């Protein structure tokens, strides 16, 4: 069974869709995207994702060729035509085809449905290890297609027996390569507020946490890792994924903590009824 | 008359070639390229371009699917099939199609022939204006496809009546958005040596200049612009293009100087007999 996609008005199985070679996303890295899942066949947090996609497009000076309702109708059509279970949706918008390989004429918009690549259950039980990387994403608030860094570092991540990178610059932590970062200290949840992509799962988790924890959005320093009880990362695919080791540093007692566990439970409850 | 291209073994007119949507160059900005011209039907400085392309590929951990001689044979075939005059050649190599949108399996290699977009002759007569931009390219020595910055700044460049950006960070000049930077002071040619792409035209010009000028490759500070006699930029398309204004600062007497003029002349003599 195929996953369907949409490209500039055409709907077809994704593996039958192609793009011309003069696209500025391909030639010049001029593209942005967004990525979310469906639960019970419905796009999760659609309003928030659309708002962010719109914001990224505007920050990259690309006019959206479709309105929100029109896009939603295309989405539902793609979901219906694709395989029956829940899936991932990827929006990609590029600078479009360019006669001189540099000037924008008309953006190209792709909407793809994809299989979800869930986190292995074991990682929720044991937590993951990440390694520190001295790096900060350019225009971190914009979900541009620039994910060179983590692909470039794939071998280093593997060699360290780690799952991902934790970016820091000058001792300030920002985010993981494709997900946000949280520390737990007592009943406080602490998460960086700058040089990050403002994750929708991050936002969802902060909302879920509001009653039970004090949520602090602020710059977070490497030195704060030493007395943290727990750490976790959030993304649409990872949900609430515990981090038990950062480089050689074991976080808390090295086991998945009760706060991470409880927030993951609440998140799973939320999506169950979405 | 068509320009021909090569994509993973297929040769066809460029506008008939397409690429699948799961390519990591498109989805993740994971790509590198190179770009050069033919003169008298022969690729200019082929040995040097191939060396650089190889180096970029290796820095991005992408194994080249073709050897040098094999690639050259494809090149000559594309040149022969394409329109009769001289043309531009663009190599693009990406992380290839990826099942999970992040892991590299097998790179995609494209070789495109394109029309040359020459600099308007007036710009060689009057020189160009550039504006300063606080920026440095990530992995500047690698010719990655990441040219977001200049596309993002297109409106600012236009609004300033300028032609391009001159990147500086913390007062240190690196390069223009797609070309290298030189200052002339007396009989000295000064050009930045770090945070730059090592241009083939830059290298060619330094070689041409060797007998007549003292060439200094070293960090160049913004403060050095004030007592420069001339400034110019080099690239395969721009050759030796005089810069007469940087932001509000007029360089030298504001006219194209004798050194820029002489080096452009020598460069044009070299390519005439290539």
């Amino acid at each position: 069974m195929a996953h369907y996609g949409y490209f500039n008005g055409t709907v077809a199985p994704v593996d039958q869709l192609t793009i011309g070679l003069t696209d500025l996303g391909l030639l010049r890295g001029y593209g942005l995207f967004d990525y979310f899942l469906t639960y019970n066949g419905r796009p999760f947090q659609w309003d928030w994702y659309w708002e962010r996609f719109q914001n990224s497009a505007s920050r990259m000076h690309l006019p959206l060729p479709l309105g929100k309702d029109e896009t939603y109708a295309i989405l539902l059509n793609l979901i219906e035509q694709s395989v029956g279970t829940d899936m991932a949706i990827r929006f990609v918008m590029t600078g479009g085809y360019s006669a001189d390989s540099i000037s924008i004429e008309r953006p190209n918009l792709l909407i793809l449905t994809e299989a979800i690549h869930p986190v292995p259950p074991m990682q929720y039980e044991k937590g993951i290890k990440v390694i520190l990387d001295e790096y900060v994403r350019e225009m971190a608030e914009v979900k541009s297609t620039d994910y060179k860094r983590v692909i470039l570092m794939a071998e280093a991540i593997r060699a360290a027996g780690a799952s991902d990178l934790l970016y820091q610059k000058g001792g300030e932590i920002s985010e993981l390569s494709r997900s946000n970062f949280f520390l737990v200290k007592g009943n406080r949840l602490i998460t960086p507020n700058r040089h990050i992509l403002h994750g929708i799962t991050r936002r969802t988790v902060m909302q879920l946490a509001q009653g039970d924890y004090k949520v602090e959005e602020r710059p977070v320093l490497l030195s704060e890792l030493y007395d943290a009880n727990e750490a976790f990362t959030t993304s649409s695919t990872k949900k609430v994924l515990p981090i038990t080791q950062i480089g050689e540093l074991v976080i808390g007692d090295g086991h998945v903590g009760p706060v991470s566990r409880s927030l993951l439970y609440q998140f799973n409850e939320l999506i169950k009824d979405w």
Side-chain angles (χ1 to χ4, degrees), chain A:
Chain A
M1 283 191 294
H3 279 105
Y4 276 73
Y6 166 99
F7 177 30
N8 286 353
T10 303
V11 170
V14 169
D15 56 11
Q16 290 171 29
L17 289 169
T18 60
I19 189 166
L21 301 187
T22 63
D23 179 79
L24 288 176
L26 181 69
L27 296 187
R28 298 295 194 174
Y30 205 81
L32 60 100
F33 79 113
D34 222 310
Y35 180 88
F36 49 95
L37 306 186
T38 67
Y39 292 116
N40 311 308
R42 287 183 59 213
F44 183 62
Q45 302 285 33
W46 161 247
D47 289 339
W48 293 356
Y49 280 104
W50 176 260
E51 183 188 13
R52 184 170 74 179
F53 186 62
Q54 243 184 340
N55 182 47
S56 293
S58 140
R59 293 284 298 272
M60 288 187 75
H61 309 156
L62 294 179
L64 281 175
L66 296 174
K68 184 177 179 183
D69 294 345
E70 213 176 347
T71 309
Y72 195 71
I74 293 169
L75 260 187
L76 292 187
N77 174 29
L78 291 178
I79 293 169
E80 199 183 298
Q81 291 204 52
S82 301
V83 290
T85 55
D86 280 321
M87 64 197 78
I89 314 271
R90 186 185 301 269
F91 284 26
V92 182
M93 193 155 81
T94 73
Y97 300 129
S98 176
D100 64 359
S101 313
I102 199 80
S103 310
I104 292 177
E105 292 157 29
R106 206 166 53 89
N108 279 326
L109 174 64
L110 330 168
I111 305 176
L112 313 178
T113 64
E114 303 178 0
I116 298 172
H117 297 278
V119 173
M122 177 67 100
Q123 296 196 345
Y124 289 106
E125 286 311 308
K126 299 270 183 196
I128 60 166
K129 175 184 178 182
V130 300
I131 54 174
L132 289 170
D133 186 25
E134 172 104 23
Y135 183 75
V136 67
R137 262 164 57 81
E138 239 180 82
M139 302 196 298
E141 329 74 51
V142 174
K143 205 165 167 71
S144 85
T145 52
D146 183 4
Y147 282 72
K148 270 193 304 299
R149 183 67 178 190
V150 62
I151 300 181
L152 201 64
M153 296 287 285
E155 186 43 41
I157 295 169
R158 227 185 337 257
S163 299
D164 207 340
L165 303 171
L166 177 61
Y167 295 142
Q168 63 90 13
K169 188 96 183 184
E172 183 177 337
I173 295 172
S174 53
E175 57 191 356
L176 279 75
S177 76
R178 285 155 290 160
S179 58
N180 289 116
F181 183 72
F182 284 84
L183 282 180
V184 181
K185 297 193 184 200
N187 78 330
R188 294 182 298 149
L189 281 191
I190 304 161
T191 189
N193 66 338
R194 57 184 190 180
H195 310 307
I196 64 163
L197 183 79
H198 284 84
I200 303 298
T201 308
R202 173 180 180 274
R203 187 170 164 184
T204 305
V205 166
M206 289 196 296
Q207 210 172 60
L208 290 171
Q210 234 158 21
D212 302 323
Y213 307 93
K214 186 165 169 294
V215 179
E216 300 175 12
E217 282 187 86
R218 58 168 175 80
V220 176
L221 301 181
L222 277 181
S223 53
E224 299 184 62
L225 297 177
Y226 291 91
D227 63 346
N229 304 113
E230 303 178 30
F232 61 85
T233 184
T234 58
S235 81
S236 55
T237 305
K238 298 183 172 72
K239 302 176 182 176
V240 178
L241 180 61
I243 299 171
T244 44
Q245 193 177 342
I246 299 175
E248 293 314 304
L249 181 72
V250 170
I251 301 298
D253 66 3
H255 295 99
V256 171
V259 178
S260 310
R261 220 182 274 283
S262 152
L263 287 169
L264 175 61
Y265 176 81
Q266 288 180 66
F267 188 84
N268 280 330
E269 287 297 301
L270 175 71
I271 60 181
K272 204 195 284 176
D273 304 324
W274 188 258

